Amino acid sequence: MSPTVRLQEMIRVIRSARTQGEERGVIQKECATIRAQFRQADNGGRSHNLAKLLYVHMLGYPAHFGQMECVRLIASPRYNEKRVGYLGAMMLLDENQDASLLITNSIKNDLSHSSPYVQSLALCTLACMGSSEMCRDLAPEIDRLLRNSSSYIKKKATLCAVHMVRKVPELGELFTPAARSLLAEKNHGVLHGAVILITELCERNTQTLVQFREVVPELVHIMRGLVTSGYSPEHTVAGISDPFLQVATNTDSSKTAGSAVLYETVLTVMDIKSESGLRVLAVNILGRFLLNNDRNIRYISMTSLQKIVITDHNAVQRHRGTIVDCLKDQDASLSLALVSSINIRSMMKELLLFLSTCPPELKSHAASGIFNAAESIALCSAGGDVRDETVPNLIQLITSASQLHCYTVHKLYRALVGDISQ
Amino acid sequence: MRFMLLFSRQGKLRLQKWYTATSERDKKKMVRELMQVVLARKPKMCSFLEWRDLKIVYKRYASLYFCCAVEEQDNELITLEVIHRFVELLDKYFGSVCELDIIFNFEKAYFILDEFLMGGEIQDTSKKSVLKAIEQADLLQEEDESPRSVLEEMGLA
């Protein structure tokens, strides 16, 4: 019987167990067999035994005795054994295990293997679980691959470099020159990785940032090329060319991919110190998002607006109406939070109306939102009046909702304490 | 991306890929907690939620939940696209993929994921290119596993 069938057969047997106890019994038996087979010499079924163990591990059972087998399989010359060995390493070994250091040498050899698929296994594993020592050890290898290999390997080496820089920031200096030249690549995969690498480098080192500022025109050129160039079916997602690489200017937001790009633009605009015109544009895009049918888009627009309202108060004000409309949405707790940060005074009436009509589980959220808002306004001079108007109304509504009583008493007490000290 | 989980409606884990070093105990705890949170969500709720210090992006495809944890500064919408792209890859590879395919061929699902994402980032934005690489790797695997030649069987080679 072919070894793969044996693996699938085991899975079938485990799944047919009717109770947790039965399952445990089956698995214990299997593990005992696997352990025994690991101790034997090469019997041709090593990779499948490890695969069985990995399945069992995913179900939550202990599998640490497979760690050394992973090390052995990775060192095997056969691709099928290496493949499972590396997978096992990624699942069972992490940098905290001693055995992980043992594979460093195998990885080093495999990085220069004649087959790109073997190189790829090594790169992937290193990027997934490489410890700081492993990264320091193997960084020169990666740098070599960044400069001199096929685009298939380059894109992987780039992401591996990203992992290394995240683990050991000092390695950033080593990779900076190579990163610069990667921008000249045509392959989208490589470009994508290069952009991420450069971002990481710049985040950790302000000097690098200055260096890469010169590169900005080049990046813009690439982006423009993406937007205007012909249709590339491989990279297109719902008619938007290569959204993953783009941070574009003018995109159709009727599809999620387009929105993702626009959202990224908004984030970029907010992050860099852009001029006010650009920021208003960004806020308007978010405002448009609020009208979108897709709930997910409305959510991210509201979370973003929450952050922005602190700095760009006026721009967000314009969208007050839409935000209030969002209160009617089922998942309204977020818009309530947002509403309380904007100028509440004018919205008090609408909020009270909402409080009386909204479903019971939202009442406490709404009440707390309004209290928070009232408290924050109480700090400014005319706040007292606002509180006086709203409190009787609130009390009326709250007496009709018994669950809120306890909560309300707490809140009122706090409010009174604050009042007395004013 | 910090990690990706695939689990069924009954809370059975079908795939877990961790991109940061985490202890076994912590992993189990996080998986259990997150599964509870996501499974409790109603169908009308949006695909994003905040959990601990991470943003969770999840989407349900038939009986499987695909769940990714990303960091504060990551773009949730593009993560949704990443999930969708992964599903498309699985679908193309298995031909109309279903949960059973992923259960019985879990190692293949991992191989595909590892060809698509590395260190939590996308390797290649072209579907075709990823699928072709998997195909080639599979061929290489088959070569190594292939039955011995007739001569070998007879002990003549």
PDB file of all heavy atoms in Angstrom, chain A residues 161-192:
ATOM      1  N   ALA A 161      15.117  38.232   3.997  1.00  0.00           N
ATOM      2  CA  ALA A 161      15.870  39.371   4.522  1.00  0.00           C
ATOM      3  C   ALA A 161      14.972  40.222   5.411  1.00  0.00           C
ATOM      4  O   ALA A 161      15.409  40.733   6.449  1.00  0.00           O
ATOM      5  CB  ALA A 161      16.422  40.209   3.365  1.00  0.00           C
ATOM      6  N   VAL A 162      13.705  40.363   5.022  1.00  0.00           N
ATOM      7  CA  VAL A 162      12.755  41.126   5.845  1.00  0.00           C
ATOM      8  C   VAL A 162      12.670  40.505   7.239  1.00  0.00           C
ATOM      9  O   VAL A 162      12.751  41.205   8.258  1.00  0.00           O
ATOM     10  CB  VAL A 162      11.354  41.149   5.191  1.00  0.00           C
ATOM     11  CG1 VAL A 162      10.323  41.705   6.145  1.00  0.00           C
ATOM     12  CG2 VAL A 162      11.374  41.973   3.924  1.00  0.00           C
ATOM     13  N   HIS A 163      12.535  39.196   7.277  1.00  0.00           N
ATOM     14  CA  HIS A 163      12.463  38.519   8.567  1.00  0.00           C
ATOM     15  C   HIS A 163      13.730  38.762   9.376  1.00  0.00           C
ATOM     16  O   HIS A 163      13.682  39.018  10.580  1.00  0.00           O
ATOM     17  CB  HIS A 163      12.253  37.022   8.345  1.00  0.00           C
ATOM     18  CG  HIS A 163      12.356  36.208   9.598  1.00  0.00           C
ATOM     19  ND1 HIS A 163      11.312  36.051  10.480  1.00  0.00           N
ATOM     20  CD2 HIS A 163      13.386  35.517  10.125  1.00  0.00           C
ATOM     21  CE1 HIS A 163      11.702  35.301  11.495  1.00  0.00           C
ATOM     22  NE2 HIS A 163      12.952  34.952  11.313  1.00  0.00           N
ATOM     23  N   MET A 164      14.865  38.675   8.700  1.00  0.00           N
ATOM     24  CA  MET A 164      16.142  38.854   9.397  1.00  0.00           C
ATOM     25  C   MET A 164      16.262  40.250   9.989  1.00  0.00           C
ATOM     26  O   MET A 164      16.739  40.412  11.113  1.00  0.00           O
ATOM     27  CB  MET A 164      17.296  38.611   8.442  1.00  0.00           C
ATOM     28  CG  MET A 164      17.460  37.163   8.093  1.00  0.00           C
ATOM     29  SD  MET A 164      18.894  36.952   7.045  1.00  0.00           S
ATOM     30  CE  MET A 164      19.117  35.205   7.192  1.00  0.00           C
ATOM     31  N   VAL A 165      15.858  41.243   9.213  1.00  0.00           N
ATOM     32  CA  VAL A 165      15.963  42.613   9.708  1.00  0.00           C
ATOM     33  C   VAL A 165      15.042  42.807  10.911  1.00  0.00           C
ATOM     34  O   VAL A 165      15.375  43.519  11.854  1.00  0.00           O
ATOM     35  CB  VAL A 165      15.620  43.611   8.573  1.00  0.00           C
ATOM     36  CG1 VAL A 165      15.438  45.006   9.107  1.00  0.00           C
ATOM     37  CG2 VAL A 165      16.698  43.583   7.517  1.00  0.00           C
ATOM     38  N   ARG A 166      13.878  42.141  10.875  1.00  0.00           N
ATOM     39  CA  ARG A 166      12.961  42.269  12.010  1.00  0.00           C
ATOM     40  C   ARG A 166      13.546  41.618  13.251  1.00  0.00           C
ATOM     41  O   ARG A 166      13.356  42.081  14.366  1.00  0.00           O
ATOM     42  CB  ARG A 166      11.617  41.596  11.683  1.00  0.00           C
ATOM     43  CG  ARG A 166      10.787  42.422  10.743  1.00  0.00           C
ATOM     44  CD  ARG A 166       9.485  41.723  10.382  1.00  0.00           C
ATOM     45  NE  ARG A 166       8.724  42.535   9.447  1.00  0.00           N
ATOM     46  CZ  ARG A 166       7.764  42.073   8.658  1.00  0.00           C
ATOM     47  NH1 ARG A 166       7.430  40.813   8.716  1.00  0.00           N
ATOM     48  NH2 ARG A 166       7.127  42.887   7.832  1.00  0.00           N
ATOM     49  N   LYS A 167      14.286  40.531  13.031  1.00  0.00           N
ATOM     50  CA  LYS A 167      14.856  39.805  14.167  1.00  0.00           C
ATOM     51  C   LYS A 167      16.136  40.482  14.662  1.00  0.00           C
ATOM     52  O   LYS A 167      16.374  40.590  15.859  1.00  0.00           O
ATOM     53  CB  LYS A 167      15.224  38.378  13.742  1.00  0.00           C
ATOM     54  CG  LYS A 167      14.124  37.393  13.990  1.00  0.00           C
ATOM     55  CD  LYS A 167      14.349  36.712  15.315  1.00  0.00           C
ATOM     56  CE  LYS A 167      13.304  35.801  15.802  1.00  0.00           C
ATOM     57  NZ  LYS A 167      12.158  36.304  16.404  1.00  0.00           N
ATOM     58  N   VAL A 168      16.964  40.881  13.737  1.00  0.00           N
ATOM     59  CA  VAL A 168      18.268  41.464  14.082  1.00  0.00           C
ATOM     60  C   VAL A 168      18.433  42.773  13.319  1.00  0.00           C
ATOM     61  O   VAL A 168      19.009  42.787  12.239  1.00  0.00           O
ATOM     62  CB  VAL A 168      19.415  40.506  13.685  1.00  0.00           C
ATOM     63  CG1 VAL A 168      20.747  41.052  14.177  1.00  0.00           C
ATOM     64  CG2 VAL A 168      19.177  39.120  14.244  1.00  0.00           C
ATOM     65  N   PRO A 169      17.949  43.871  13.883  1.00  0.00           N
ATOM     66  CA  PRO A 169      17.946  45.135  13.143  1.00  0.00           C
ATOM     67  C   PRO A 169      19.309  45.568  12.595  1.00  0.00           C
ATOM     68  O   PRO A 169      19.368  46.209  11.557  1.00  0.00           O
ATOM     69  CB  PRO A 169      17.442  46.148  14.175  1.00  0.00           C
ATOM     70  CG  PRO A 169      16.641  45.345  15.112  1.00  0.00           C
ATOM     71  CD  PRO A 169      17.272  43.988  15.174  1.00  0.00           C
ATOM     72  N   GLU A 170      20.397  45.164  13.251  1.00  0.00           N
ATOM     73  CA  GLU A 170      21.714  45.603  12.754  1.00  0.00           C
ATOM     74  C   GLU A 170      22.006  45.073  11.365  1.00  0.00           C
ATOM     75  O   GLU A 170      22.850  45.617  10.657  1.00  0.00           O
ATOM     76  CB  GLU A 170      22.854  45.138  13.669  1.00  0.00           C
ATOM     77  CG  GLU A 170      22.761  45.613  15.093  1.00  0.00           C
ATOM     78  CD  GLU A 170      21.965  44.632  15.929  1.00  0.00           C
ATOM     79  OE1 GLU A 170      22.427  43.482  16.088  1.00  0.00           O
ATOM     80  OE2 GLU A 170      20.877  45.000  16.392  1.00  0.00           O
ATOM     81  N   LEU A 171      21.338  43.972  11.002  1.00  0.00           N
ATOM     82  CA  LEU A 171      21.584  43.414   9.676  1.00  0.00           C
ATOM     83  C   LEU A 171      21.097  44.344   8.579  1.00  0.00           C
ATOM     84  O   LEU A 171      21.408  44.156   7.404  1.00  0.00           O
ATOM     85  CB  LEU A 171      20.906  42.046   9.544  1.00  0.00           C
ATOM     86  CG  LEU A 171      21.581  40.929  10.344  1.00  0.00           C
ATOM     87  CD1 LEU A 171      20.743  39.670  10.268  1.00  0.00           C
ATOM     88  CD2 LEU A 171      22.971  40.664   9.822  1.00  0.00           C
ATOM     89  N   GLY A 172      20.302  45.333   8.965  1.00  0.00           N
ATOM     90  CA  GLY A 172      19.773  46.268   7.981  1.00  0.00           C
ATOM     91  C   GLY A 172      20.868  46.885   7.135  1.00  0.00           C
ATOM     92  O   GLY A 172      20.733  47.005   5.908  1.00  0.00           O
ATOM     93  N   GLU A 173      21.975  47.206   7.793  1.00  0.00           N
ATOM     94  CA  GLU A 173      23.066  47.843   7.039  1.00  0.00           C
ATOM     95  C   GLU A 173      23.584  46.948   5.938  1.00  0.00           C
ATOM     96  O   GLU A 173      23.929  47.401   4.856  1.00  0.00           O
ATOM     97  CB  GLU A 173      24.231  48.118   7.991  1.00  0.00           C
ATOM     98  CG  GLU A 173      24.145  49.479   8.630  1.00  0.00           C
ATOM     99  CD  GLU A 173      25.385  49.757   9.454  1.00  0.00           C
ATOM    100  OE1 GLU A 173      26.485  49.620   8.891  1.00  0.00           O
ATOM    101  OE2 GLU A 173      25.227  50.067  10.640  1.00  0.00           O
ATOM    102  N   LEU A 174      23.642  45.654   6.245  1.00  0.00           N
ATOM    103  CA  LEU A 174      24.151  44.701   5.267  1.00  0.00           C
ATOM    104  C   LEU A 174      23.264  44.650   4.029  1.00  0.00           C
ATOM    105  O   LEU A 174      23.756  44.555   2.900  1.00  0.00           O
ATOM    106  CB  LEU A 174      24.222  43.317   5.931  1.00  0.00           C
ATOM    107  CG  LEU A 174      24.573  42.133   5.043  1.00  0.00           C
ATOM    108  CD1 LEU A 174      25.965  42.308   4.480  1.00  0.00           C
ATOM    109  CD2 LEU A 174      24.478  40.845   5.826  1.00  0.00           C
ATOM    110  N   PHE A 175      21.968  44.749   4.252  1.00  0.00           N
ATOM    111  CA  PHE A 175      21.055  44.546   3.131  1.00  0.00           C
ATOM    112  C   PHE A 175      20.730  45.812   2.349  1.00  0.00           C
ATOM    113  O   PHE A 175      20.137  45.731   1.282  1.00  0.00           O
ATOM    114  CB  PHE A 175      19.739  43.936   3.637  1.00  0.00           C
ATOM    115  CG  PHE A 175      19.886  42.526   4.130  1.00  0.00           C
ATOM    116  CD1 PHE A 175      19.442  42.172   5.390  1.00  0.00           C
ATOM    117  CD2 PHE A 175      20.467  41.553   3.336  1.00  0.00           C
ATOM    118  CE1 PHE A 175      19.575  40.871   5.857  1.00  0.00           C
ATOM    119  CE2 PHE A 175      20.597  40.256   3.788  1.00  0.00           C
ATOM    120  CZ  PHE A 175      20.155  39.911   5.055  1.00  0.00           C
ATOM    121  N   THR A 176      21.079  46.965   2.890  1.00  0.00           N
ATOM    122  CA  THR A 176      20.645  48.205   2.234  1.00  0.00           C
ATOM    123  C   THR A 176      21.083  48.336   0.772  1.00  0.00           C
ATOM    124  O   THR A 176      20.245  48.635  -0.084  1.00  0.00           O
ATOM    125  CB  THR A 176      21.084  49.432   3.045  1.00  0.00           C
ATOM    126  OG1 THR A 176      20.675  49.254   4.396  1.00  0.00           O
ATOM    127  CG2 THR A 176      20.481  50.696   2.509  1.00  0.00           C
ATOM    128  N   PRO A 177      22.360  48.114   0.446  1.00  0.00           N
ATOM    129  CA  PRO A 177      22.722  48.271  -0.972  1.00  0.00           C
ATOM    130  C   PRO A 177      21.950  47.335  -1.893  1.00  0.00           C
ATOM    131  O   PRO A 177      21.471  47.755  -2.953  1.00  0.00           O
ATOM    132  CB  PRO A 177      24.216  47.943  -1.001  1.00  0.00           C
ATOM    133  CG  PRO A 177      24.656  47.745   0.378  1.00  0.00           C
ATOM    134  CD  PRO A 177      23.508  47.769   1.294  1.00  0.00           C
ATOM    135  N   ALA A 178      21.815  46.087  -1.478  1.00  0.00           N
ATOM    136  CA  ALA A 178      21.097  45.125  -2.319  1.00  0.00           C
ATOM    137  C   ALA A 178      19.649  45.552  -2.500  1.00  0.00           C
ATOM    138  O   ALA A 178      19.075  45.446  -3.589  1.00  0.00           O
ATOM    139  CB  ALA A 178      21.168  43.735  -1.698  1.00  0.00           C
ATOM    140  N   ALA A 179      19.061  46.061  -1.406  1.00  0.00           N
ATOM    141  CA  ALA A 179      17.656  46.470  -1.465  1.00  0.00           C
ATOM    142  C   ALA A 179      17.461  47.554  -2.518  1.00  0.00           C
ATOM    143  O   ALA A 179      16.480  47.556  -3.261  1.00  0.00           O
ATOM    144  CB  ALA A 179      17.191  46.961  -0.101  1.00  0.00           C
ATOM    145  N   ARG A 180      18.409  48.456  -2.550  1.00  0.00           N
ATOM    146  CA  ARG A 180      18.323  49.560  -3.500  1.00  0.00           C
ATOM    147  C   ARG A 180      18.261  49.053  -4.931  1.00  0.00           C
ATOM    148  O   ARG A 180      17.471  49.504  -5.743  1.00  0.00           O
ATOM    149  CB  ARG A 180      19.562  50.442  -3.280  1.00  0.00           C
ATOM    150  CG  ARG A 180      19.700  51.640  -4.157  1.00  0.00           C
ATOM    151  CD  ARG A 180      18.835  52.769  -3.697  1.00  0.00           C
ATOM    152  NE  ARG A 180      18.941  53.896  -4.594  1.00  0.00           N
ATOM    153  CZ  ARG A 180      18.446  53.934  -5.818  1.00  0.00           C
ATOM    154  NH1 ARG A 180      17.820  52.880  -6.288  1.00  0.00           N
ATOM    155  NH2 ARG A 180      18.595  54.990  -6.567  1.00  0.00           N
ATOM    156  N   SER A 181      19.110  48.092  -5.240  1.00  0.00           N
ATOM    157  CA  SER A 181      19.163  47.619  -6.627  1.00  0.00           C
ATOM    158  C   SER A 181      17.979  46.748  -6.986  1.00  0.00           C
ATOM    159  O   SER A 181      17.648  46.575  -8.148  1.00  0.00           O
ATOM    160  CB  SER A 181      20.469  46.873  -6.887  1.00  0.00           C
ATOM    161  OG  SER A 181      20.659  45.903  -5.893  1.00  0.00           O
ATOM    162  N   LEU A 182      17.290  46.209  -5.972  1.00  0.00           N
ATOM    163  CA  LEU A 182      16.137  45.360  -6.244  1.00  0.00           C
ATOM    164  C   LEU A 182      14.995  46.132  -6.882  1.00  0.00           C
ATOM    165  O   LEU A 182      14.139  45.555  -7.549  1.00  0.00           O
ATOM    166  CB  LEU A 182      15.633  44.712  -4.954  1.00  0.00           C
ATOM    167  CG  LEU A 182      16.437  43.521  -4.466  1.00  0.00           C
ATOM    168  CD1 LEU A 182      15.938  43.092  -3.106  1.00  0.00           C
ATOM    169  CD2 LEU A 182      16.324  42.365  -5.442  1.00  0.00           C
ATOM    170  N   LEU A 183      14.982  47.441  -6.665  1.00  0.00           N
ATOM    171  CA  LEU A 183      13.878  48.228  -7.200  1.00  0.00           C
ATOM    172  C   LEU A 183      13.878  48.238  -8.721  1.00  0.00           C
ATOM    173  O   LEU A 183      12.903  48.595  -9.353  1.00  0.00           O
ATOM    174  CB  LEU A 183      13.952  49.665  -6.690  1.00  0.00           C
ATOM    175  CG  LEU A 183      13.390  49.878  -5.293  1.00  0.00           C
ATOM    176  CD1 LEU A 183      13.522  51.331  -4.903  1.00  0.00           C
ATOM    177  CD2 LEU A 183      11.926  49.484  -5.239  1.00  0.00           C
ATOM    178  N   ALA A 184      15.015  47.854  -9.295  1.00  0.00           N
ATOM    179  CA  ALA A 184      15.093  47.871 -10.746  1.00  0.00           C
ATOM    180  C   ALA A 184      14.493  46.621 -11.369  1.00  0.00           C
ATOM    181  O   ALA A 184      14.382  46.514 -12.580  1.00  0.00           O
ATOM    182  CB  ALA A 184      16.557  48.017 -11.169  1.00  0.00           C
ATOM    183  N   GLU A 185      14.071  45.677 -10.521  1.00  0.00           N
ATOM    184  CA  GLU A 185      13.529  44.429 -11.051  1.00  0.00           C
ATOM    185  C   GLU A 185      12.170  44.627 -11.705  1.00  0.00           C
ATOM    186  O   GLU A 185      11.402  45.491 -11.295  1.00  0.00           O
ATOM    187  CB  GLU A 185      13.347  43.429  -9.898  1.00  0.00           C
ATOM    188  CG  GLU A 185      14.651  42.995  -9.270  1.00  0.00           C
ATOM    189  CD  GLU A 185      15.325  41.937 -10.096  1.00  0.00           C
ATOM    190  OE1 GLU A 185      14.608  41.170 -10.762  1.00  0.00           O
ATOM    191  OE2 GLU A 185      16.564  41.888 -10.089  1.00  0.00           O
ATOM    192  N   LYS A 186      11.885  43.761 -12.696  1.00  0.00           N
ATOM    193  CA  LYS A 186      10.589  43.864 -13.353  1.00  0.00           C
ATOM    194  C   LYS A 186       9.558  42.954 -12.695  1.00  0.00           C
ATOM    195  O   LYS A 186       8.371  43.183 -12.742  1.00  0.00           O
ATOM    196  CB  LYS A 186      10.717  43.432 -14.833  1.00  0.00           C
ATOM    197  CG  LYS A 186      11.544  44.356 -15.664  1.00  0.00           C
ATOM    198  CD  LYS A 186      10.682  45.522 -16.166  1.00  0.00           C
ATOM    199  CE  LYS A 186      11.471  46.483 -17.019  1.00  0.00           C
ATOM    200  NZ  LYS A 186      12.587  47.087 -16.322  1.00  0.00           N
ATOM    201  N   ASN A 187      10.061  41.879 -12.097  1.00  0.00           N
ATOM    202  CA  ASN A 187       9.151  40.891 -11.553  1.00  0.00           C
ATOM    203  C   ASN A 187       8.370  41.455 -10.363  1.00  0.00           C
ATOM    204  O   ASN A 187       8.950  41.961  -9.414  1.00  0.00           O
ATOM    205  CB  ASN A 187       9.970  39.666 -11.119  1.00  0.00           C
ATOM    206  CG  ASN A 187       9.106  38.566 -10.546  1.00  0.00           C
ATOM    207  OD1 ASN A 187       8.387  38.763  -9.591  1.00  0.00           O
ATOM    208  ND2 ASN A 187       9.179  37.407 -11.168  1.00  0.00           N
ATOM    209  N   HIS A 188       7.037  41.343 -10.435  1.00  0.00           N
ATOM    210  CA  HIS A 188       6.192  41.919  -9.391  1.00  0.00           C
ATOM    211  C   HIS A 188       6.469  41.333  -8.021  1.00  0.00           C
ATOM    212  O   HIS A 188       6.433  42.026  -7.020  1.00  0.00           O
ATOM    213  CB  HIS A 188       4.709  41.699  -9.730  1.00  0.00           C
ATOM    214  CG  HIS A 188       4.221  42.611 -10.794  1.00  0.00           C
ATOM    215  ND1 HIS A 188       2.970  43.172 -10.769  1.00  0.00           N
ATOM    216  CD2 HIS A 188       4.806  43.076 -11.903  1.00  0.00           C
ATOM    217  CE1 HIS A 188       2.802  43.931 -11.834  1.00  0.00           C
ATOM    218  NE2 HIS A 188       3.899  43.890 -12.541  1.00  0.00           N
ATOM    219  N   GLY A 189       6.713  40.033  -7.994  1.00  0.00           N
ATOM    220  CA  GLY A 189       6.973  39.393  -6.712  1.00  0.00           C
ATOM    221  C   GLY A 189       8.192  39.996  -6.043  1.00  0.00           C
ATOM    222  O   GLY A 189       8.188  40.321  -4.855  1.00  0.00           O
ATOM    223  N   VAL A 190       9.243  40.171  -6.833  1.00  0.00           N
ATOM    224  CA  VAL A 190      10.477  40.738  -6.281  1.00  0.00           C
ATOM    225  C   VAL A 190      10.251  42.180  -5.837  1.00  0.00           C
ATOM    226  O   VAL A 190      10.687  42.600  -4.771  1.00  0.00           O
ATOM    227  CB  VAL A 190      11.618  40.666  -7.313  1.00  0.00           C
ATOM    228  CG1 VAL A 190      12.879  41.249  -6.728  1.00  0.00           C
ATOM    229  CG2 VAL A 190      11.852  39.233  -7.746  1.00  0.00           C
ATOM    230  N   LEU A 191       9.567  42.937  -6.687  1.00  0.00           N
ATOM    231  CA  LEU A 191       9.297  44.342  -6.354  1.00  0.00           C
ATOM    232  C   LEU A 191       8.530  44.448  -5.052  1.00  0.00           C
ATOM    233  O   LEU A 191       8.835  45.274  -4.197  1.00  0.00           O
ATOM    234  CB  LEU A 191       8.469  44.995  -7.465  1.00  0.00           C
ATOM    235  CG  LEU A 191       9.239  45.668  -8.586  1.00  0.00           C
ATOM    236  CD1 LEU A 191       8.273  46.254  -9.588  1.00  0.00           C
ATOM    237  CD2 LEU A 191      10.142  46.752  -8.035  1.00  0.00           C
ATOM    238  N   HIS A 192       7.536  43.603  -4.924  1.00  0.00           N
ATOM    239  CA  HIS A 192       6.714  43.614  -3.721  1.00  0.00           C
ATOM    240  C   HIS A 192       7.582  43.394  -2.491  1.00  0.00           C
ATOM    241  O   HIS A 192       7.517  44.132  -1.518  1.00  0.00           O
ATOM    242  CB  HIS A 192       5.649  42.524  -3.849  1.00  0.00           C
ATOM    243  CG  HIS A 192       4.690  42.485  -2.727  1.00  0.00           C
ATOM    244  ND1 HIS A 192       4.840  41.662  -1.628  1.00  0.00           N
ATOM    245  CD2 HIS A 192       3.549  43.167  -2.502  1.00  0.00           C
ATOM    246  CE1 HIS A 192       3.836  41.844  -0.808  1.00  0.00           C
ATOM    247  NE2 HIS A 192       3.035  42.747  -1.301  1.00  0.00           N
TER     248      HIS A 192
END
